Amino acid sequence: MCGIVGYIGYEQAAPFLLSGLEKLEYRGYDSAGICLNDGKELIVKKTKGKLLELKKLTNNGADINGTVGIGHTRWATHGEPSDVNAHPHLSDSCRFAVVHNGIIENYLQLKDYLISKGMTFRSKTDTEVIAQLIEFYYDGDLVDTVIKVLGKLDGSYALGVISRDCPDEIIAVRKESPLIIGLGENENYIASDVPAILAKTRNIYRLENNEIAILRRDGVKIINTDREDVVKKIETINWDIDAAEKGGYEHFMFKEIMEQPKAIHDTVAPRIKNGRVVLDEINLTPEQFKGFNKINILACGSAYHVGVVAKYVFEKYLRIPVEADLASEFRYRDPIVNEKTLTIVISQSGETADTKEAMKEAKRRGSHVISIVNVVGSAIACESDDVIYTWAGPEIAVATTKAYSTQLAVVYLMAIYFGDILGTVKKDQYDELVSELLSLPEKIKTVLANEEKVQYLASKLFNCMDVFFIGRNIDYALSLEGSLKLKEISYIHSEAYAAGELKHGTISLIEDGTLVIALATHEPLIAKTISNMEEVRTRGANVLCLACEDHKEIESVAQNTIFIPKCCDMMLPSLAVVPLQLFAYYVASLKGCDIDKPRNLAKSVTVE
Ligand code: F6R
């Protein structure tokens, strides 16, 4: 996820581009840049770091002239955050400049082709390929050329394109990644999101997939890829600026919960080619992988909870012993880890101090480390042997939601990929798992559509003082996350227990009205979990049960139920976590808590 802006008018473009980018910094902030046509050539200023660095570099925009320009704030995907990888990207002869939000899946093939034709590349980004393709195919008509180039691209994109020779035009395109056109008086704008343009106009067009906008000073024309005119309705925005940054939602956490189908799609889809899981980023050979006799997973907090799910998933599909370890404990317990151990490190930020140090300890002991990381170019990503990125985009709310979900998706990809190498996942099962994985985003949309039911239950239950989350097997792994989500943002005391363990002491805490959230999605153990629900209900508990929709009989055991769609057992946490996130969110909201910034917490824990 990155932020794009563009301006064409009679004023200087740079001040607007910088203020627009400031409103989009929530979409990415590892580097930023602008490019203006000064009437003679394209001038680019870009730099690693927050927007502040770009403002310094351009003297708040005063040092760069031009009334047409594009800008970008980056959330690195291909290529680490650096000056050279920052957008805008220029073509070989500096004739065309491009800003891009999204991922070009076939950029390596395109790049190889262009290199074979003599073009040279400056950056490691997928975006530079687009600028180069425009130059390569340019036939004197920029719109025609852009349409031709779109036909070569696989993946998702929102683009802003300017040319040295067309100082009166910006071309903007959208496929899968959002892009809006702002309509002003003798000036027009492009932006990834509404906040960037709200200070200038409230009239916009929202581009749909495969629509192309041609912006001039006096008007905007929208066409499709067949160059036919598209008639669009002007939308008038009436949100205030603060709400606009959150896409109209009240909190980033809610926005990020809603973004999960897309985040999972972006993480999974580019890695499945012709029905096969392709993990190019792993350099281990199949023979090396077969040499491991143990997997060790290191992480903290919610990322550790993903590790606990992974233990169940990997042991089932790979038949290798797996340990999921709290990174802060691993470091100091003289662990039995060596070159026969594969270490998997999980971290959204890639900067968590305990996780980073635990990773170094595992490496010191000879273990090969694969990291699952969201922030490109972060310390853990750079220092691990291999890194698989989760394409969740920036997560702003302190409580993780979409990063957790994309980490789970990577665990499933790894289980299928390594299971195939080991021969523990057979062909039929392989195909079924791939198809289940691809269907997760749609199923999550169904769960999200049931959001009002969860809101209603939260309104009935938000006054509770103590909550116990119980579950067995993979439901136990999930209950750890459900419990953490609730307590960290609503400040309600809550604990997660393996359902069978409750009676070994903790059941003494159950009394009239204690809320027990029972997770009963794991088919083989539903009957056992139902018995545990009966045990607590007999002692006065108020039971809220989460189950799959084909187990309606559960309604007679619990006072309240939430149903989710059926999917393969091991992937159920991806569906089941969503109502738990929503429940925590609504409870915290009803209690008036500061949801995006819970007390005492920080997004990145860089101290021990
Ligand atoms: C909880 C949460 C934390 C993080 C933990 C690890 O909602 O976000 O528990 O999961 O601090 O952070 P990363 O994944 O950045 O290493």
Side-chain angles (χ1 to χ4, degrees):
M1 188 150 109
C2 302
I4 289 180
V5 288
Y7 172 88
I8 183 161
Y10 293 98
E11 306 286 323
Q12 286 298 317
F16 165 76
L17 295 177
L18 292 173
S19 65
L21 289 178
E22 201 169 351
K23 295 287 174 206
L24 297 181
E25 254 197 317
Y26 76 88
R27 302 178 63 86
Y29 37 75
D30 59 47
S31 51
I34 54 178
C35 173
L36 277 79
N37 187 327
D38 72 354
K40 289 199 258 17
E41 54 187 338
L42 297 179
I43 314 285
V44 176
K45 297 278 178 201
K46 54 184 188 172
T47 176
K48 181 178 166 179
K50 294 227 161 72
L51 192 65
L52 196 63
E53 302 303 320
L54 183 64
K55 286 185 171 170
K56 281 190 215 152
L57 186 72
T58 59
N59 189 16
N60 279 324
D63 287 355
I64 173 163
N65 270 322
T67 56
V68 54
I70 50 179
H72 190 270
T73 176
R74 182 168 186 245
W75 175 257
T77 57
H78 298 68
E80 72 287 353
S82 67
D83 293 355
V84 74
N85 288 333
H87 298 215
H89 287 283
L90 289 171
S91 63
D92 232 3
S93 68
C94 302
R95 199 168 173 187
F96 303 100
V98 173
V99 284
H100 167 217
N101 167 31
I103 295 176
I104 305 303
E105 289 162 18
N106 59 338
Y107 85 103
L108 280 177
Q109 292 101 293
L110 294 168
K111 190 168 177 174
D112 286 349
Y113 174 74
L114 291 169
I115 289 172
S116 77
K117 297 288 175 190
M119 297 190 102
T120 51
F121 282 77
R122 303 174 182 97
S123 78
K124 290 198 182 134
T125 64
D126 50 345
T127 307
E128 193 179 3
V129 151
I130 305 170
Q132 301 283 48
L133 282 172
I134 294 174
E135 175 150 326
F136 186 73
Y137 287 111
Y138 188 58
D139 60 5
D141 182 326
L142 185 57
V143 177
D144 269 351
T145 309
V146 168
I147 292 175
K148 185 163 190 175
V149 167
L150 299 183
K152 312 273 173 210
L153 306 177
D154 293 338
S156 58
Y157 42 82
L159 301 176
V161 181
I162 57 173
S163 152
R164 185 186 64 198
D165 307 329
C166 312
D168 303 318
E169 202 168 81
I170 299 179
I171 312 285
V173 188
R174 180 223 154 122
K175 185 182 163 219
E176 307 299 345
S177 302
L179 198 63
I180 58 160
I181 311 296
L183 305 167
E185 285 283 317
N186 291 320
E187 53 185 25
N188 295 299
Y189 322 87
I190 65 171
S192 297
D193 201 356
V194 173
I197 50 129
L198 266 192
K200 291 283 189 183
T201 180
R202 289 183 170 263
N203 292 335
I204 66 156
Y205 289 136
R206 272 182 210 278
L207 286 191
E208 300 294 328
N209 280 345
N210 301 312
E211 287 179 350
I212 299 155
I214 305 156
L215 287 87
R216 304 219 163 85
R217 289 178 178 80
D218 58 356
V220 175
K221 184 175 155 113
I222 314 254
I223 57 170
N224 62 22
T225 47
D226 294 324
R227 275 204 96 146
E228 294 159 341
D229 287 354
V230 176
V231 182
K232 291 190 79 77
K233 254 183 79 183
I234 296 178
E235 183 181 328
T236 304
I237 302 292
N238 45 26
W239 304 334
D240 64 32
I241 292 192
D242 184 43
E245 269 173 54
K246 293 164 192 149
Y249 298 119
E250 216 180 322
H251 298 101
F252 278 111
M253 182 180 175
F254 197 77
K255 177 169 176 277
E256 287 159 9
I257 290 174
M258 290 297 168
E259 282 172 352
Q260 291 178 107
K262 180 170 183 326
I264 293 175
H265 170 89
D266 289 352
T267 301
V268 169
R271 292 176 168 124
I272 297 191
K273 305 207 169 100
N274 302 320
R276 306 287 302 166
V277 174
V278 181
L279 293 180
D280 297 332
E281 47 271 86
I282 295 183
N283 293 311
L284 284 172
T285 62
E287 285 324 304
Q288 283 172 307
F289 188 78
K290 286 179 190 161
F292 296 126
N293 59 18
K294 181 178 149 194
I295 296 177
N296 207 49
I297 302 174
L298 304 175
C300 299
S302 293
Y304 164 74
H305 299 158
V306 172
V308 182
V309 174
K311 175 179 166 66
Y312 289 99
V313 173
F314 290 154
E315 287 190 342
K316 177 175 164 98
Y317 291 111
L318 307 183
R319 306 304 302 145
I320 296 183
V322 181
E323 260 186 87
D325 246 319
L326 289 166
S328 51
E329 285 296 308
F330 173 87
R331 295 174 59 184
Y332 300 113
R333 71 166 168 79
D334 196 8
I336 301 167
V337 164
N338 52 41
E339 63 291 341
K340 289 202 162 300
T341 313
L342 172 66
T343 296
I344 299 176
V345 170
I346 308 175
S347 175
Q348 185 285 129
S349 62
E351 302 292 346
T352 303
D354 282 320
T355 310
K356 195 165 68 182
E357 292 309 316
M359 173 183 78
K360 287 186 188 159
E361 185 57 43
K363 283 186 85 169
R364 261 195 295 277
R365 288 167 188 254
S367 179
H368 184 98
V369 176
I370 301 178
S371 64
I372 302 174
V373 175
N374 196 39
V375 178
V376 173
S378 54
I380 291 173
C382 292
E383 290 172 39
S384 52
D385 297 302
D386 299 316
V387 52
I388 306 180
Y389 285 114
T390 49
W391 300 131
E395 199 176 53
I396 310 291
V398 164
T400 183
T401 52
K402 62 176 180 170
Y404 171 91
S405 288
T406 51
Q407 288 161 356
L408 280 184
V410 171
V411 164
Y412 308 144
L413 282 166
M414 290 173 92
I416 301 169
Y417 180 79
F418 289 130
D420 182 48
I421 290 178
L422 295 177
T424 46
V425 172
K426 302 281 184 266
K427 166 109 184 64
D428 284 358
Q429 197 178 26
Y430 186 103
D431 294 343
E432 193 195 322
L433 289 171
V434 167
S435 132
E436 288 277 8
L437 187 47
L438 287 171
S439 70
L440 278 182
E442 281 310 310
K443 287 186 177 162
I444 292 175
K445 283 186 195 164
T446 319
V447 180
L448 288 169
N450 196 21
E451 172 233 325
E452 271 181 24
K453 165 93 190 258
V454 182
Q455 186 175 14
Y456 164 73
L457 290 172
S459 73
K460 278 175 62 173
L461 300 168
F462 77 98
N463 277 324
C464 58
M465 304 291 283
D466 297 290
V467 185
F468 293 88
F469 284 75
I470 60 169
R472 287 170 176 264
N473 191 280
I474 207 145
D475 283 327
Y476 165 60
L478 181 65
S479 65
L480 295 169
E481 179 60 8
S483 171
L484 178 62
K485 260 328 54 105
L486 182 68
K487 72 182 125 196
E488 71 178 322
I489 61 167
S490 74
Y491 317 140
I492 293 175
H493 166 246
S494 106
E495 292 184 39
Y497 266 86
E501 183 63 16
L502 208 62
K503 58 186 161 303
H504 297 286
T506 311
I507 203 163
S508 66
L509 294 173
I510 304 290
E511 54 187 15
D512 265 354
T514 309
L515 180 59
V516 174
I517 301 188
L519 310 180
T521 70
H522 185 60
E523 184 72 44
L525 294 172
I526 285 178
K528 304 243 177 258
T529 307
I530 287 180
S531 304
N532 300 130
M533 285 159 63
E534 304 271 20
E535 283 160 17
V536 291
R537 215 178 144 175
T538 319
R539 287 158 180 84
N542 184 1
V543 180
L544 165 60
C545 179
L546 185 81
C548 289
E549 60 200 3
D550 56 347
H551 280 283
K552 294 279 193 254
E553 76 277 9
I554 279 180
E555 278 174 322
S556 63
V557 194
Q559 281 93 333
N560 292 293
T561 42
I562 299 173
F563 290 109
I564 56 168
K566 186 104 199 89
C567 82
C568 89
D569 244 17
M570 288 291 132
M571 292 182 198
L572 275 166
S574 294
L575 306 185
V577 76
V578 176
L580 302 182
Q581 297 165 341
L582 288 167
F583 184 74
Y585 174 82
Y586 281 122
V587 167
S589 163
L590 287 159
K591 293 189 74 192
C593 300
D594 187 354
I595 293 183
D596 284 338
K597 294 195 184 84
R599 71 183 178 211
N600 307 339
L601 296 180
K603 185 71 186 156
S604 227
V605 186
T606 51
V607 291
E608 263 194 61

